[in-house]
Structure formats: structure tokens, C-alpha cells
Amino acid sequence: MKLSLNWLKKYLNIAYTPEKIAEMLTIIGLEVEGIEKVESIKGGLTGVITGEVVSCEKHPDADRLSITNVNIGQEDLLQIVCGAPNVAKGQKVMVATIGTQLYDKEGQPFTIKKGKIRGVESQGMICAEDELGIGNDHSGITVLPSETPIALPAAQYYKLEDDFVFEVGLTPNRSDATSQLGVARDLLAYLRVNEKYAEEIIEPDISGFITERVGLNIDVEVEDKEACIRYTGITINNIAVKESPDWLKKLLKSIGVKPINNIVDVTNFVLHELGQPLHAFDADKISNKKIVVKRLQSDTEFLSLDGVTRKLHEDDLMICDMESRPLCMAGVYGGFDSGVSSSTKNIFIESACFQSKSIRKTSTRHNLRTDAAKVFEKGADPNITEFALKRASSLIRELAGGAVSNTIIDVYPKVIKEAEVRLYYDKVNNLIGTEIPEDDVHAILQAMDMEITPLDEDSILVRIPTNKSDVTREVDLIEEIVRIYGLNRVPVPSQIKSTISYTIKPDKYQVKELLSDFLASNGFNEMMGLSLIESRHYNGLNIADENEFVYINNTSNIHLDIMRPDMLVSGLVSVSYNLNRQQTNLSLFEFGKSYKKRDKAYQEDEWLTVFMTGKKNEESWLSDNKREKSFFDIKSVVFSILAKVGINQYQVSEVEDSPEYNYGLRIHRGPLVIAEFGEIKKSVCQKMGVKPVVYFGKIAFNVLLSLAGKVKTEVAEISRFPSVRRDLALVIDKKVKFSEIETIARQTDKKLLKQISLFDVYENEQQMGKDKKSYAVSFVFQNEQKTLNDTEIDEIMSRLTKQLEEKTQAIIRK
């Protein structure tokens, strides 16, 4: 929010520098993010002083010009050529001296220079209202009272006072500091406790609130009493809508509010002064002279103040007339047809308190982040609506005339009372970390307008003002105490205490770092997807069960409406984003979580996922850049990840009937799935706007950790006995997989067979027959105790050949 120093001084008699005030505000939890100097008049009228016209004669060559000599308190008189028709001898005037910079109506600067006008030298300018920036009159020069002293700076004469505006970062819990007066009260508490400030706050004046019996009154009916906590209103007749006075426009401009007219400006002024949103209706546009606070049917059209027709949600709280015609979006935005215009004569002023949850939902749903909505969202005080109404009525009578109705509408079905919190002195000192005397605690609470009642020697009962909607517990109250006491006064302990900490192995974060470094060193980039995603992405994919979606009420980004139920779709969003920006060769990995609803509980799983698409190598003369990434690349990566953490014992099976993969493999130990990987179906990719083939792998990270924790590292010396390699060329059916051959070989010999590799695949239907292929497989044998001989190797190869022929119908090529 923006806080005006001049506005603040209306309530507090203070003379601190802006920097000191910023320091105090920050101490009490109102962090000042910036200070801006706002000049009362642009340029500050530097170089403009009062003077007296000593002589005035007509210009010899131009009747409309006058040659004047002006005394500005210097040794020599200034000769100034003036074109104003009302300039005359003996007048007291404002003189812009040579070098003075003034501004025209468009805000463009111009500098007063010494020059000649029709051959006569002119040494300055006698100014009109608009040239000084104090008004719009250009019919003649500004004539000052005859008793005005000469050589008086214009800024001093007009009592110009620059303002300083603080940009205050309000946290969501500070419902008491959404207004200029609210901040003044908070600052007053600090000043009383820490600066011995003895004066009272200067309350806004409502002495002008005088009511009369008028013929026009508006009735109010509140249908939704939960969303509308309190509704007050009053009618004012026979007003005159016109421009606001300068003092009001300056205050509003200082905090970034554009002046509209005197009625609207008063409602905005009271909003920012008291933190109570108001709305002014043209009373003659309210049919049957009755307001109804209710919700309307979904998709009801509402023409808002900005000229946009909006379709309402069934939960939007609306201010309507008797015919259910929407006049205003309650607490958020006014209507186009019911607002105050230049022809308005009678108005109805609304001062209400709406439920913060309801207002925030409507505000974000329609993307209308208005000042009023921001106040209600933090929790407005329902017990100031009537005072705010009287303050606004008083100002409107002063600025627009009119007769205020003696009937104040006040619908307040459930009165909000002050909360009562029991406060223990020991808890205050233990939580803050320093000893605060009981008298000081009392003084701080009373400085914040809190009533205290002693209960016993150890505690008191504190009544919390209703403007502090967030203070409901003892700990909240202690937070208020330390804010005013000052965190800077809490001593830093001279001793530091620590405890020995240990981490269960394997350390989760170390494993993440290990695998991240491994993948990054192999050309992968880490991505961080949102845990939130749009549910529409899953329409027609059959990847996730809609009944398992975890829906959230995301009022900031309503399209992100669920927690992601899997890692594939959010990853494809990132792949699509990169592809659309000409990043076509992608190798990405992510550590993340998925979320599902299981009966009445929620399931949260952690994953390591990898995505690969595009060419295997970047374009280079040194490498083959035509080869695309393949299934075997993703397979190599997943197997390498498992090997990196020491997991080598597992089973591999095909993924069947998968909604995600064209084909893929599952790595598991019995029913415990460790990982899955494969080629993503084309239909899934196209649904996500991805054209190229994408390979995806997901590793259950918590399963990976649990298995890695059971791995025992063994160290053995390199064998001094040589290994022996034998190769087999097999003609087999295409449906036979290498994993089947590997399993048969491992079962045939578990002691000497150390390594199995597929080093060639050949297919030729004319030479080998239909649905046949040739595998060239190598087998490496080694005995750690002695050198193997041919007889031993031949015996194993004979058994292996027999097993392959029987179980796979392989033909051994000689």
C-alpha cells in the first residue's frame, strides 16, 4: 500500500524525517520498500518570488504589451515585458526570475531566459495562475494582496509542502494496517512505548454529520447473511456532482488514486483513510428503492463499471435491486448503469463488511484486484461501517451539499464482538527471548487500544479490537507485543547451543546430488515442473483416474486446478515449451512428486524422471549427427542410474497394455516396481502438442533409496587369470528377446560366466526365412582361481547351446 506522510501528519503531530519514519515502520512489521518525494507543485516554484510593479508603460510597438519595472528586493529593478491585460503600477505579483523552470499544462518544462520582446529587453516573467501550476486561469497575471511583502519565495507564500510517499509491503495478516489511519494508530503505539509520545491521535472529524427528514429512502434486504456480515447505508438528496477541491485531489494523487468527482473521491478518500470500502449508487437508478444482497444464477450477465460485460459465477455475491438486476459486484467492482454521473442528484452510500473468502474468490475469478477487494480479503472491521458512513456523509455535505437522511440502514444479524485472549507473562518472555516487565507489557497492549483485565499474578485477559482479525491466539498477541516493543531491542544471545545431528544412510539429498551430477555430465538438463497442472490435459488420455485427482482452490491461477497425478504430462508440457522455442534435441530430468486421492487419504509419490527426444549428437563434422535418440538410449540411462547407486539385482519384463507407452520395459523385484521406461505413444504426444518421438523413463525414488540402502559394497582384486570369450551366431524367431537368451545363459552357468553381450543383429528374409533374425552373442568366462582350458569351456558352451535350441528353437550357425 502507499502511505502519505502529509496524510499521516493529519493524525499525528510528528516532525520526524521520512527516513526515521521508514525505520520505525519497518520495526513494527510494516516493511518500507521505497520512499518517493512528491512535489506539491511540479518544480516547487524554485526561483519564483513576490515583487511590486513600480512602473508600467505601454510598449511603443505593441499596444497589448506593457513594459514594467518590478522590485523583487534586489538593488536593481527588473525590466519585464508583460502581455497581461490586467498588469498595473503598484500591484504585488509573482515573478519568475531568469533561470526559473516552469511547466505548461501538458507538464512540459520551459525555462525563463533573458531576451528581447519587440526590441525591448525582458528580464523575467510576471506569472498567471496556470503558469505557476496553482490553477487554470490564464486571463491575466496573479495579483496578490497589497500587504504582501516583496522578495518572499513563492513556495513560502503558498505554504507549499512536499509530500513523501512510502511503499509499504503489507503481509496478508495485517488487516489493521490497510489504511492511513490504521498505520497511524500502529505507529502511535510504537511512539508511546519507545519515543515517549504523549499526545492522542487526531480522529477524523464527523461533526458535519447532520441528518434531516428526506422524502427518498432506500430499503435493504440481505439474503446471504454469511457472506454479508454487516450492511449499512444512507441516502443523501439534492447533491451537486462536481470537481473535488485541490486538497482532496492532492491527497488521492499522492497515493496513486485518480480523482473522478467529489462523490467518488470522498468514497475513495474514506476507503484509504479508514480502511472501509464504500460505494455510491445513483439512488434514482435503484428500482423500487430497495437493495437486495444475494447471489444470482450462473452466467448472469453484469455490465461492470469499465464497460465490460461479465458472466457471473453462482458464488459471486451481488448487490441487486428488487428485480434481481445486478447493480454492483459486492466489495469488488461497481456497475456501469448504477454509478454516480454528472447528472446524479440523489445518492445511496453503501458501507458494508463482506466475508473475506467470498470477496477473494470473486476478485480473482474475474481478475478484478481492486483496492476495496484487497481490504476485504485481509478481513475488514465490521464495527467501523457506521462511522465510515458518517465520515463520508459529513464530507459530501461539505463538498456537494445535499440533505442527509435521518434513517441509517444497518443490517447486522450476528454482531462481531472483541475476542478475548488469556496472556501469561512467562509465555511472553520465553517466546520473545527477553524479560519484558509486566508494566511494559500492559503499556504496549494499552497503546494498541487493547483492554486488559488482571486474572491472577501470572496472567491477564486481553480484549482484542475487531480491526485485528488475525489476533486470535496467545501467540498472535505475543507477536503484537514484540512488534511494538521492537525486535531490535531483543538481545542476541552470547552463547550458541547446538546438538549433534546425523543423517540416515543413504542420505536422500546426497543421492539426488549424485544422480544430478551424473545426468548433467551426460548431457542432461534439470527441469523443475509445477506441482500444479490443468486437469484438462488429462481429457481423453486415460493416463490417470479422474476420481483420484486432488483438486485445489487456486484463486491466483484458476486454470491450475489439480495437483499433478503423474510426472509424464507435466514433463511433456516442458518438452513442448522447449520444442516451440527451437530446442529440438532434448535430454531432461526432474526430481518431483505426484499426488493422488486414495479413498479418504492422499498418496504422495516421489520420482526421478527422464525425457529424451531429437538427435543423439549435436551437429558436428566429428560425429554422426543424423542418428535420432532411440529406445536403447533411454534404456542405457535408466540402467546406468540404477548401477550408479549399486542396484544390480532385479527383474526385467515388458510393459503391456500401457496407456502411456508404445512399448517399454519394467524393472522390478517381484511386485515391487523400481522403474519403467519406453517410447511414449504418439496420441499422448500429439495431445500435448509434441510432434517428435519422445522417450520417457520414471524411477520410483523412494524405492530406489530403500534398495540402495541395502547395497553392500564389495572390493576384490583384479584376477590374475585370463578370461576366455566365445561367440555364438543364433538364428531365432523375431519374437525372442535378448533378455531371454541372457536368462538362459545365466541359469546354465552361474559360476564362470561373467559377461554376456549382443554385438550384432542381422535380418534378411530371403536368407533366413520369414520372421527370423540373427543374433551374434558373446560370452566371457573366467575362473578366479585358475586358468580355464578348452575342455571346460566347450562343456559349458555345449550345455548352453542345447538349452538355447530347446527353449528358443534357435539354430546355431556354424
Side-chain angles (χ1 to χ4, degrees), residues 33 185 191 240-241 275 282 307 393 399 421 434 523 549 684 772 809:
E33 299 171 348
R185 293 188 194 281
L191 293 173
V241 179
D282 188 324
S393 300
L399 304 181
V421 176
T434 190
F549 286 175
V684 175
K772 296 290 183 178
Q809 285 75 50

Side-chain angles (χ1 to χ4, degrees), residues 351-411:
S351 178
C353 180
F354 301 110
Q355 184 191 53
S356 58
K357 181 171 66 174
S358 171
I359 297 302
R360 176 158 179 81
K361 286 181 177 180
T362 296
S363 171
T364 53
R365 188 182 293 125
H366 296 283
N367 195 27
L368 292 170
R369 309 295 295 144
T370 60
D371 290 337
K374 291 175 184 177
V375 170
F376 283 126
E377 286 170 7
K378 289 180 172 61
D381 183 2
N383 293 321
I384 66 165
T385 59
E386 186 174 341
F387 181 86
L389 201 62
K390 291 179 178 180
R391 174 65 167 158
S393 300
S394 179
L395 289 170
I396 288 173
R397 281 191 72 251
E398 176 187 340
L399 304 181
V404 180
S405 170
N406 61 358
T407 303
I408 296 180
I409 303 296
D410 190 0
V411 182

Side-chain angles (χ1 to χ4, degrees), residues 229-232 275-276 351-354 376 379-387 410-412 414-417 465-469:
I229 299 168
R230 187 180 186 183
Y231 194 100
T232 58
Q276 173 57 49
S351 178
C353 180
F354 301 110
F376 283 126
D381 183 2
N383 293 321
I384 66 165
T385 59
E386 186 174 341
F387 181 86
D410 190 0
V411 182
Y412 199 1
K414 186 179 180 181
V415 177
I416 305 299
K417 297 181 179 180
T466 51
N467 68 331
K468 294 182 179 292
S469 60

Side-chain angles (χ1 to χ4, degrees), residues 529-797:
L530 284 175
S531 293
L532 307 177
I533 197 168
E534 299 177 58
S535 58
R536 66 177 180 85
H537 288 316
Y538 291 89
N539 295 339
L541 287 183
N542 298 320
I543 290 177
D545 184 354
E546 186 177 348
N547 295 321
E548 295 179 340
F549 286 175
V550 180
Y551 287 93
I552 61 168
N553 182 22
N554 187 357
T555 55
S556 297
N557 296 285
I558 56 177
H559 57 289
L560 299 173
D561 57 340
I562 62 170
M563 307 289 284
R564 60 181 174 187
D566 79 322
M567 300 293 291
L568 172 60
V569 174
S570 66
L572 287 175
V573 170
S574 296
V575 171
S576 174
Y577 182 90
N578 281 272
L579 291 173
N580 291 337
R581 285 153 183 81
Q582 299 180 319
Q583 304 299 311
T584 54
N585 302 324
L586 299 174
S587 295
L588 305 172
F589 74 94
E590 177 184 9
F591 289 97
K593 294 180 179 180
S594 64
Y595 310 85
K596 292 182 179 180
K597 185 169 63 176
R598 301 288 193 188
D599 296 326
K600 295 182 179 179
Y602 295 93
Q603 178 179 320
E604 184 175 314
D605 297 312
E606 193 163 2
W607 304 91
L608 166 58
T609 58
V610 289
F611 290 82
M612 301 181 75
T613 186
K615 301 213 180 303
K616 182 172 178 60
N617 299 310
E618 295 293 337
E619 188 174 6
S620 170
W621 64 273
L622 195 58
S623 61
D624 177 12
N625 55 18
K626 294 182 179 180
R627 181 177 170 244
E628 299 283 334
K629 292 186 177 79
S630 70
F631 171 80
F632 299 102
D633 292 312
I634 192 82
K635 177 182 176 182
S636 173
V637 169
V638 173
F639 278 35
S640 296
I641 289 172
L642 299 181
K644 194 70 178 176
V645 295
I647 300 175
N648 297 305
Q649 301 297 320
Y650 45 76
Q651 299 161 285
V652 180
S653 59
E654 281 192 67
V655 176
E656 298 178 351
D657 300 324
S658 168
E660 301 172 345
Y661 304 107
N662 277 332
Y663 54 87
L665 294 179
R666 179 178 292 116
I667 301 173
H668 57 99
R669 283 189 180 178
L672 182 65
V673 177
I674 305 171
E676 286 183 355
F677 59 90
E679 180 189 318
I680 302 301
K681 284 186 174 180
K682 189 175 182 180
S683 58
V684 175
C685 289
Q686 287 178 337
K687 176 71 168 57
M688 301 304 300
V690 176
K691 294 181 180 179
V693 175
V694 178
Y695 298 94
F696 169 64
K698 60 179 180 181
I699 299 170
F701 190 67
N702 287 331
V703 174
L704 183 86
L705 281 177
S706 65
L707 295 178
K710 299 175 183 177
V711 172
K712 293 182 180 180
T713 304
E714 297 180 355
V715 179
E717 65 175 323
I718 298 174
S719 176
R720 55 194 180 91
F721 299 102
S723 60
V724 178
R725 169 174 166 162
R726 293 289 176 90
D727 295 343
L728 281 181
L730 312 172
V731 177
I732 54 179
D733 290 340
K734 284 187 177 181
K735 63 182 181 180
V736 177
K737 297 179 176 59
F738 172 69
S739 59
E740 297 177 38
I741 297 172
E742 186 177 23
T743 300
I744 293 170
R746 296 288 184 192
Q747 291 173 346
T748 301
D749 186 88
K750 300 179 180 179
K751 183 178 179 181
L752 301 180
L753 181 60
K754 302 298 182 183
Q755 183 179 336
I756 308 168
S757 298
L758 174 65
F759 63 89
D760 190 33
V761 178
Y762 179 71
E763 295 182 11
N764 189 314
E765 188 172 322
Q766 293 180 349
Q767 295 180 2
M768 288 177 287
K770 187 178 181 180
D771 294 329
K772 296 290 183 178
K773 61 183 176 181
S774 173
Y775 272 4
V777 184
S778 66
F779 304 88
V780 176
F781 302 92
Q782 189 176 41
N783 191 325
E784 308 293 339
Q785 308 298 324
K786 66 174 186 176
T787 300
L788 292 172
N789 56 50
D790 289 342
T791 302
E792 293 173 297
I793 301 299
D794 290 343
E795 192 273 331
I796 295 173
M797 290 301 295

